[in-house]
Amino acid sequence: MSNQLIEKIKEECLRIEEDALYSSKSHYNASSPWEKCNLFIGIPIAILSAIAGLSALKDMTTITIVISFLLTCLTAINTALNPSKRAGHHKSAAGEYNNLKNDVRLFREIELIEIAFPDKDLKEKVKVFSDRRNQLNISSPTIPRWAYEKTQSDVNNGYTQYSIDKGKE
């Protein structure tokens, strides 16, 4: 195994790790407002449902009609936006990218140094990591621009770095 190949493998691993870091963090950022939206719409639906039920029992027809109209509007919005599902998709993608980042880092930091892989196996291993990244890029929801920019700010401020790695660069 040549030193030049190992350096090229390390460089490609670092690229994949960086992509995975940005994508993972951006998906976590993108899921947060959808989780809040789910609570913002879901809690009023639950409360208004209870009030509508009580008002119907007390023969308060006008209040029951108004609350039922509000419930219908909120339920339609919740169904159309489906914030819970959107948050779940972003969190799932974030977790997958995070798994990829950790797998590549372990390979680069430990396996690449400790295990004498044949050149062909090294190339294949990096190709597998690259293919995983490409599949995630295809299957993941689109990252909003603001979520990516927040990630960029967090990375530049060192919020995404492990304590053990701070000061190594």
Side-chain angles (χ1 to χ4, degrees):
M1 145 171 60
S2 74
N3 284 341
Q4 187 179 10
L5 177 62
I6 289 176
E7 286 306 311
K8 292 287 184 191
I9 298 283
K10 282 182 181 176
E11 288 173 8
E12 189 56 28
C13 286
L14 288 170
R15 288 184 195 102
I16 294 170
E17 286 177 60
E18 186 177 338
D19 282 349
L21 169 68
Y22 273 80
S23 295
S24 173
K25 184 76 176 126
S26 294
H27 279 293
Y28 278 125
N29 289 338
S31 74
S32 181
W34 287 115
E35 288 176 338
K36 289 175 185 166
C37 181
N38 188 42
L39 291 175
F40 186 75
I41 295 172
I43 290 173
I45 287 173
I47 292 170
L48 288 174
S49 295
I51 293 171
L54 288 175
S55 65
L57 289 175
K58 297 278 183 180
D59 285 331
M60 303 166 80
T61 309
T62 306
I63 291 175
T64 303
I65 291 171
V66 170
I67 291 174
S68 295
F69 175 75
L70 290 172
L71 271 172
T72 303
C73 292
L74 286 173
T75 303
I77 291 169
N78 195 35
T79 301
L81 293 178
N82 205 349
S84 175
K85 184 178 176 184
R86 290 176 190 241
H89 284 179
H90 279 293
K91 277 186 137 181
S92 175
E96 291 294 322
Y97 277 111
N98 205 32
N99 288 342
L100 174 62
K101 178 184 64 97
N102 291 338
D103 290 346
V104 173
R105 188 191 71 241
L106 287 173
F107 170 73
R108 179 181 54 83
E109 295 255 337
I110 297 171
E111 291 180 42
L112 191 59
I113 296 167
E114 297 290 325
I115 302 169
F117 289 105
D119 288 357
K120 183 182 171 197
D121 290 352
L122 276 177
K123 292 174 189 173
E124 186 60 34
K125 198 120 172 124
V126 169
K127 180 148 178 30
V128 167
F129 289 137
S130 180
D131 288 345
R132 272 177 63 190
R133 176 188 54 189
N134 293 339
Q135 281 302 313
L136 284 171
N137 287 340
I138 291 168
S139 65
S140 299
T142 303
I143 296 170
R145 183 79 188 161
W146 65 264
Y148 176 77
E149 289 172 354
K150 181 170 181 353
T151 297
Q152 238 177 355
S153 172
D154 289 348
V155 169
N156 290 339
N157 289 320
Y159 299 144
T160 58
Q161 205 171 27
Y162 294 108
S163 296
I164 190 96
D165 294 333
K166 288 184 179 176
K168 281 187 175 179
E169 296 171 11

